[in-house]
Amino acid sequence: MATKQAVTYATKGGLDVPGVVVREQPKVYLAAIGGPWLLRHSTPSWRAEDPEKGFQRIVKERRAREIARTVLDTGRTFPNAITLATTTKAFEVTECSLHLPESAKFLVVDGQHRLWAQKHSKIEGTYPCIIHMGRTEQQMAELFLEINDNQRRVPSSLRWDLVRLVRNEDQATIMTADIVYELAVSKESPFYSVGIDLTGEKKELTIKQGSLAPEIKTLVSRSLRRKGTSDLDDYVTLLNHFFVAIRSLDPEGWGNPNSTFFKARVLRALIRVLSDMIGKFPLDQLTTERMRDMLAQIDKETLSEEAVRKAQGSAGVQDLYNQMRNQVLKGS
């Protein structure tokens, strides 16, 4: 197995590694890079504020340790290459040597567990790498989906986040991804202060994009078929007002997973109720005040801890929806 002798630091800073060009436009390199250096210059998510925490949220620690024990610690080489991507357009190549500047930053598109295994081994591994150069964030998302959707299940929240960037799905799917993103980042949104986990990496956040998005997509799809409107701002405004109305029912509990309404299953069921409300009233009549008055008719016993605990899976959410719909839309 190649060790530290396989790589040397260049005098101008950074790292010189064995490497060749395998495609000219856009450039793709094949290189052998030392594990510790690669870890310091890699991230599992291009928007991760702390790459180390990002790796810890994505990888299964037990699997990474097993790779360290059975591959790195025994001096074996990896049977396949790690796939990397970067916004940098090109690196300097001299004969069969690739110069990696100290400022280099890579997204690990595939091979997160293999790379994180370096954290658990005292033996420095040499990682074969395919490096895709000059990739925009959207192109990185496309590459990630192309590789990971074909190999293993991608966390649903992360897939929705990538769909928003790639934008090659149907209208309702794209609109849904945009809506959830706006709910997460807009200062007008009640979720702005408490957060929505857009990628599945922020375990401390209760509400996940992968939980809300399918319900919102169903709502958007039904609304598009009924009314034909395709104005994204209308849906963002409506959902902002809807969640503000929900928050007003228990303002002190908003953001607390132990509160009555701030639970993923409850919010999913309520989005289904909203879809029925859209079927009965024009969008401009569904003001925050009107929706609050309608939602205030919900008997909180319907959402007791015991009832919500029983609401496992789609059938459970459907039961919650049926009960709340009958209370909210009685007489409508």
Side-chain angles (χ1 to χ4, degrees), residues 58-228:
I58 287 176
V59 304
K60 295 180 180 178
E61 197 74 10
R62 184 175 180 179
R63 182 178 170 194
R65 289 182 181 275
E66 183 68 9
I67 294 172
R69 183 180 67 81
T70 59
V71 179
L72 294 175
D73 292 350
T74 60
R76 294 168 56 199
T77 56
F78 289 101
N80 50 358
I82 285 179
T83 304
L84 306 172
T86 180
T87 55
T88 304
K89 292 184 178 180
F91 293 136
E92 181 182 340
V93 179
T94 305
E95 296 181 345
C96 290
S97 179
L98 180 68
H99 179 72
L100 305 175
E102 189 60 30
S103 60
K105 178 185 177 184
F106 301 105
L107 170 73
V108 184
V109 178
D110 184 54
Q112 290 90 345
H113 283 87
R114 278 167 280 160
L115 181 54
W116 193 248
Q118 183 66 80
K119 268 282 188 182
H120 304 292
S121 178
K122 294 180 180 179
I123 296 179
E124 179 177 324
T126 297
Y127 286 77
C129 301
I130 299 292
I131 309 174
H132 295 260
M133 306 297 296
R135 295 291 174 133
T136 64
E137 190 174 14
Q138 176 178 339
Q139 289 168 332
M140 291 182 190
E142 290 173 341
L143 186 61
F144 188 100
L145 285 176
E146 179 183 345
I147 292 175
N148 288 279
D149 260 7
N150 291 332
Q151 289 187 0
R152 64 186 72 88
R153 180 177 174 83
V154 175
S156 59
S157 292
L158 177 56
R159 193 185 191 288
W160 276 101
D161 194 46
L162 296 174
V163 163
R164 182 180 59 82
L165 296 171
V166 176
R167 311 191 74 79
N168 61 1
E169 304 273 354
D170 61 89
Q171 182 186 17
T173 301
I174 293 300
M175 288 185 70
T176 297
D178 287 339
I179 289 167
V180 179
Y181 181 76
E182 287 300 319
L183 288 174
V185 304
S186 171
K187 292 183 178 179
E188 288 73 37
S189 167
F191 287 104
Y192 182 76
S193 60
V194 297
I196 296 175
D197 183 4
L198 293 176
T199 65
E201 299 171 359
K202 297 182 178 180
K203 304 300 183 184
E204 69 277 10
L205 296 183
T206 299
I207 305 303
K208 312 293 181 183
Q209 175 166 217
S211 181
L212 295 185
E215 302 295 344
I216 292 176
K217 180 185 175 183
T218 299
L219 179 151
V220 171
S221 297
R222 289 178 63 184
S223 183
L224 288 174
R225 288 195 300 269
R226 285 192 303 240
K227 305 188 179 186

Side-chain angles (χ1 to χ4, degrees), residues 260-261 266 298-305 307-308 320 324:
T260 303
F261 294 98
V266 173
I298 296 172
D299 181 356
K300 291 188 177 181
E301 285 301 311
T302 302
L303 306 176
S304 67
E305 286 294 327
V308 174
L320 290 177
M324 290 192 291

